[in-house]
Amino acid sequence: MSLNTISMGDTLLSYLRQVSLREQEVLRALREETCRLPNAGMQISPEQGQLMALLVQLIQARRVLEIGTFTGYSSTVMALALPPEGELVACDVSDEYTQVARKYWKQAGVDGKCRLHLGDARETLRQLLGSGAQGTFDLAFIDADKSGYLEYYEGCLKLIRPGGLILVDNVLWGGQVADSSVQDSDTEAIRRFNTMLSEDSRIDLSLIPIGDGLTLARKR
């Protein structure tokens, strides 16, 4: 079988970052601080963040919704790509981790763009829909508990405009989604999610093997 997607070892990844990554100092500092914390693996890679920022710019996004903020790398990199009047609504359950995010939002000068909702994102999505926000977001990023992916996706699909994007992280799940011997609840949830999206006629779809797998879904 021919090799269709190049394998990304440490040496090649280092080269990729050397010739393409334009990471601002505030983002590098945030990434390095996060690497010293528990659950550091939840942080997205810098090249994925740069791609997401480019997508924000390409679709000229003004309103972004994030489900799962952690220490704030993804929200910071996207907020930096928003115009001055842009807004990012961030949802997370951890006050401890999002305190790091808030610190770096301020350092990056985007704290005025970012609005944090602490608590169950399902409730935040219901509140946004109840307040008339349907179709008012340009882009949504989902990177939270895997069991909630389908529910988060359905809420985000209502909240973004036609032509808007939903980005979903961890959809390759370290390769475990393709290993039938792995049947834990998170892996099964991601499999169900991936299968559902592959058949969803409401979107245009691409799954990119960057980081731990990133789905791009464009609302038709």
Side-chain angles (χ1 to χ4, degrees), residues 35-82:
C35 284
R36 297 190 293 269
L37 298 175
N39 298 314
M42 292 167 58
Q43 180 171 235
I44 67 169
S45 67
E47 59 273 13
Q48 178 176 325
Q50 185 164 292
L51 171 63
M52 291 164 57
L54 181 61
L55 292 171
V56 168
Q57 293 169 322
L58 283 172
I59 68 169
Q60 298 182 319
R62 294 178 179 274
R63 295 193 81 201
V64 170
L65 175 62
E66 177 177 75
I67 311 298
T69 296
F70 191 41
T71 59
Y73 194 98
S74 54
S75 54
T76 305
V77 76
M78 289 191 291
L80 284 166
L82 287 169

Side-chain angles (χ1 to χ4, degrees), residues 3 8 23 27-28 34 42 47-48 50 56 60 67 72 77 116 147 151 153 156 167 170-171 176 191 204 212:
L3 181 65
M8 189 66 68
E23 187 177 36
L27 292 169
R28 184 196 61 77
T34 302
M42 292 167 58
E47 59 273 13
Q48 178 176 325
Q50 185 164 292
V56 168
Q60 298 182 319
I67 311 298
V77 76
L116 177 64
S147 63
E151 194 170 353
Y153 170 77
C156 289
L167 311 180
N170 303 121
V171 290
Q176 293 183 87
R191 286 187 184 125
D204 300 305
D212 195 25

Side-chain angles (χ1 to χ4, degrees), residues 155-167:
C156 289
L157 196 62
K158 294 182 178 74
L159 286 164
I160 65 166
R161 61 171 172 81
L165 284 175
I166 299 177
L167 311 180

Side-chain angles (χ1 to χ4, degrees), residues 173-195:
W173 204 227
Q176 293 183 87
V177 288
D179 184 347
S180 60
S181 69
V182 180
Q183 297 182 1
D184 62 273
S185 59
D186 283 343
T187 305
E188 291 288 358
I190 295 172
R191 286 187 184 125
R192 288 192 297 272
F193 177 77
N194 289 341
T195 298

Side-chain angles (χ1 to χ4, degrees), residues 63-67 87-91 115-117 120-137 139-140 152 155-156 158-160:
R63 295 193 81 201
V64 170
L65 175 62
E66 177 177 75
I67 311 298
E87 178 188 32
L88 186 146
V89 176
C91 306
R115 182 157 54 93
L116 177 64
H117 289 257
D120 191 331
R122 297 169 184 83
E123 179 58 31
T124 301
L125 291 172
R126 285 192 286 268
Q127 289 174 2
L128 287 168
L129 288 166
S131 69
Q134 184 165 338
T136 64
F137 286 86
L139 184 146
Y152 299 144
C156 289
K158 294 182 178 74
L159 286 164
I160 65 166

